[in-house]
């Protein structure tokens, strides 16, 4: 029995030796090749139009066939612009779990038939210019950038007595969307920490929504919010703040202002940390 197997092995070996060397090189290359890195779900959009709405607002219209992959896109939803770790706009497909910078922007307008998405980028203010602002200042028509999304912010709770909107300068486009989406009879307060801006921006709003601009009177957004008038009753609140202010503001709004947890939404607008790119949520 041992001899039979010995003969079979010799036969197989002699058969193998007849293969050309090139074949073995190809076979070795096939099995030793490193697996290709997985691609994350990012989409390429192209700058189609740039409009200076005011000294502090630069409106960018992005477009391309990738909009077809974002069927749930609508005004008020959020997309994230992707940047390399050194701040350059990402112009290639993102890799799964790759370290990249992400910056959120509120969709101001969109036309899924024309494959167009419009975002507003705020310029100026006291916060440092991150990669998104720097890119928006230098972007040119025809330039590509990778995006993820969309994500949807929960709508402000309707069954409340009044509404509080507040934020740093980069949050103004989101605040503008919320104001436009409110019922005309809504009452409440808008507080914007616009330190470093030379002028206030005209915002469309319900008649009973009062806008309070900081204009340098207070050092921070939390200080501004603590010094605004507060109507009686139960409020709903949306706040766009610095990362370091999120936790104390959340506690203050719930305990001192009386905002129910289910009626409170706070978004960080100045995160400079590197994030990892994962499969985009829809």
């Amino acid at each position: 029995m041992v001899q039979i197997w010995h003969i079979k092995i010799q036969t197989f070996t002699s058969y193998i030796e007849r293969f050309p060397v090139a074949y073995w090189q190809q076979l070795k290359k096939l099995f030793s090749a490193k697996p290709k890195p997985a691609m994350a779900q990012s989409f390429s959009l192209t700058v189609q139009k740039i409009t200076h709405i005011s000294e502090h607002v630069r409106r960018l219209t992005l477009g391309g066939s990738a909009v077809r992959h974002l069927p749930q896109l609508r005004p008020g939803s959020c997309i994230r612009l992707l940047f390399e770790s050194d701040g350059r706009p990402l112009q290639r497909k993102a890799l799964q779990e790759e370290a990249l910078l992400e910056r959120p922007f509120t969709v101001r307008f969109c036309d899924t038939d024309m494959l167009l998405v419009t975002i507003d980028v705020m310029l100026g203010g006291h916060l440092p210019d991150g990669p998104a602002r720097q890119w928006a200042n230098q972007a040119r028509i025809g330039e590509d950038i990778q995006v993820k999304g969309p994500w949807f912010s929960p709508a402000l709770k309707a069954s409340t007595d009044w509404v509080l909107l507040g934020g740093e300068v980069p949050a103004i486009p989101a605040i503008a969307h919320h104001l436009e989406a409110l019922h005309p009879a809504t009452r409440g307060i808008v507080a914007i920490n616009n330190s470093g801006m030379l002028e206030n921006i005209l915002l469309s709003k319900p008649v009973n929504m009062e806008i309070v601009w900081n204009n340098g009177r207070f050092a921070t957004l939390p200080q501004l919010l603590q010094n605004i008038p507060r109507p009686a009753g139960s409020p709903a609140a949306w706040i766009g703040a610095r990362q370091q202010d999120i936790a104390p503001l959340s506690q203050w709004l719930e305990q001192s202002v009386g905002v129910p947890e289910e009626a409170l939404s706070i978004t960080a607008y100045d995160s400079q940390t590197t994030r990892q790119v994962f499969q985009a949520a829809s």
Side-chain angles (χ1 to χ4, degrees):
M1 186 71 177
V2 174
Q3 291 179 347
I4 295 175
W5 277 109
H6 180 68
I7 293 172
K8 287 185 177 181
I9 291 172
Q10 283 184 329
T11 303
F12 180 74
T13 304
S14 61
Y15 177 75
I16 291 289
E17 289 174 347
R18 296 195 193 107
F19 283 126
V21 175
Y23 176 84
W24 287 113
Q25 290 176 342
Q26 292 178 2
L27 200 62
K28 181 180 179 182
K29 183 178 180 181
L30 176 65
F31 285 98
S32 63
K34 294 181 180 180
K36 292 183 179 180
M39 305 300 288
Q41 191 174 358
S42 67
F43 306 98
S44 178
L45 294 179
T46 304
V47 179
Q48 305 284 345
K49 185 179 179 181
I50 301 172
T51 307
H52 294 275
I53 301 299
S54 73
E55 180 183 354
H56 300 288
V57 184
R58 199 173 204 204
R59 177 163 291 172
L60 283 79
T61 299
L62 311 176
S65 60
V67 175
R68 295 193 182 98
H69 301 292
L70 310 173
Q72 297 179 319
L73 196 68
R74 63 172 182 258
S77 59
C78 172
I79 61 173
R80 291 180 181 271
L81 305 187
L82 304 183
F83 298 87
E84 304 276 10
S85 58
D86 62 2
R88 291 179 294 114
L90 185 69
Q91 297 179 325
R92 55 176 175 77
K93 278 287 187 179
L95 303 179
Q96 194 77 12
E97 300 185 9
E98 180 183 14
L100 294 171
L101 299 175
E102 304 179 11
R103 293 297 179 265
F105 284 90
T106 298
V107 174
R108 297 293 285 121
F109 311 100
C110 63
D111 188 328
T112 53
D113 293 328
M114 296 297 292
L115 305 178
L116 297 175
V117 181
T118 299
I119 61 174
D120 288 345
V121 181
M122 300 303 303
L123 308 176
H126 66 287
L127 295 179
D129 283 348
R133 283 188 181 183
Q134 293 174 10
W135 174 74
N137 265 323
Q138 303 169 2
R140 297 292 182 266
I141 293 176
E143 184 175 346
D144 296 333
I145 189 168
Q146 291 283 319
V147 305
K148 288 171 56 181
W151 288 267
F152 304 105
S153 298
L156 286 166
K157 188 177 178 181
S159 57
T160 55
D161 298 310
W162 62 285
V163 167
L164 172 61
L165 300 173
E168 305 285 357
V169 169
I172 290 177
I175 291 173
H177 165 75
H178 282 297
L179 284 172
E180 293 163 1
L182 290 174
H183 188 278
T186 303
R187 67 190 184 103
I189 303 291
V190 181
I192 299 176
N193 183 25
N194 62 319
S195 300
M197 291 174 57
L198 300 179
E199 61 179 9
N200 299 339
I201 297 170
L202 181 63
L203 297 173
S204 177
K205 66 178 184 66
V207 174
N208 294 320
M209 288 292 296
E210 179 185 354
I211 299 180
V212 179
W213 298 89
N214 186 6
N215 291 324
R217 292 179 298 162
F218 303 101
T220 65
L221 176 64
Q223 290 180 13
L224 171 63
L225 290 170
Q226 291 166 10
N227 285 276
I228 60 173
R230 298 201 292 269
S234 178
W238 184 95
I239 308 293
R242 297 182 301 172
Q243 182 69 50
Q244 67 192 58
D245 294 331
I246 296 293
L249 272 176
S250 179
Q251 182 179 9
W252 177 77
L253 287 165
E254 291 183 23
Q255 296 180 0
S256 299
V257 183
V259 182
E261 183 179 357
E262 67 275 11
L264 173 60
S265 178
I266 303 184
T267 300
Y269 267 83
D270 71 331
S271 176
Q272 300 297 318
T273 58
T274 298
R275 299 170 180 259
Q276 289 185 330
V277 175
F278 296 98
Q279 189 78 1
S282 59

